[in-house]
Amino acid sequence: MSVSLRSLFVLVLITLPLLACEQESSPPDGVLNESLYLDLTTELYLTMQWVQLREIYEQEDSLRQLVFDHYGVSPEQFQKSHQYYQSDIDGQLIRLDSLRVRFDREERRLNEHRTGS
């Protein structure tokens, strides 16, 4: 292998991981950052649970819109972000585990509130 070809190969090996790190740390334009995506996903899930618990299905769309308005995000922007994050299967599995922890924590908090503990 010639010196210039070897140098190019080394440069590529060094550059690829850096590019991958950059991609993970900053999503493309129009995609929510991961933290906001997780917060919004949590709120939307809890809203859905509330609607089912109270059987107020006719209010579901307006309640979801309140969540989007609270975070200053459009439903389309959330959908685009969801598709982006879902395309990274390994990352999405980690995010789903994080969401499960949030949901479990919220469920415990609500159960404590119901029992007065």
Side-chain angles (χ1 to χ4, degrees), residues 54-76:
R54 297 292 181 198
E55 297 181 1
I56 52 174
Y57 303 104
E58 68 281 353
Q59 296 177 21
E60 184 172 9
D61 289 340
S62 61
L63 291 172
R64 285 176 53 91
Q65 190 58 52
L66 284 172
V67 172
F68 288 126
D69 291 347
H70 173 77
Y71 284 95
V73 172
S74 71
E76 296 78 18

Side-chain angles (χ1 to χ4, degrees), residues 41-56:
T41 301
T42 301
E43 292 289 334
L44 290 171
Y45 175 80
L46 293 173
T47 299
M48 183 182 70
Q49 294 301 307
W50 178 256
V51 165
Q52 290 176 358
L53 178 67
R54 297 292 181 198
E55 297 181 1
I56 52 174

Side-chain angles (χ1 to χ4, degrees), residues 5-109:
L5 189 55
R6 187 176 304 147
S7 297
L8 180 62
F9 181 72
V10 169
L11 180 63
V12 168
L13 286 177
I14 292 171
T15 307
L16 283 177
L18 293 175
L19 290 174
C21 289
E22 178 62 28
Q23 184 180 13
E24 289 177 16
S25 64
S26 59
D29 287 342
V31 172
L32 305 173
N33 70 53
E34 188 171 339
S35 177
L36 180 56
Y37 169 74
L38 291 172
D39 289 346
L40 190 53
T41 301
T42 301
E43 292 289 334
L44 290 171
Y45 175 80
L46 293 173
T47 299
M48 183 182 70
Q49 294 301 307
W50 178 256
V51 165
Q52 290 176 358
L53 178 67
R54 297 292 181 198
E55 297 181 1
I56 52 174
Y57 303 104
E58 68 281 353
Q59 296 177 21
E60 184 172 9
D61 289 340
S62 61
L63 291 172
R64 285 176 53 91
Q65 190 58 52
L66 284 172
V67 172
F68 288 126
D69 291 347
H70 173 77
Y71 284 95
V73 172
S74 71
E76 296 78 18
Q77 189 178 16
F78 174 76
Q79 185 61 35
K80 179 179 181 178
S81 302
H82 182 64
Q83 289 172 346
Y84 170 78
Y85 287 114
Q86 199 171 27
S87 69
D88 170 20
I89 294 170
D90 293 334
Q92 191 68 348
L93 290 173
I94 293 168
R95 284 184 283 278
L96 288 172
D97 284 341
S98 171
L99 289 169
R100 275 190 212 103
V101 168
R102 289 178 181 213
F103 300 150
D104 289 346
R105 185 175 52 230
E106 186 63 20
E107 183 179 24
R108 281 192 306 276
R109 188 185 71 77

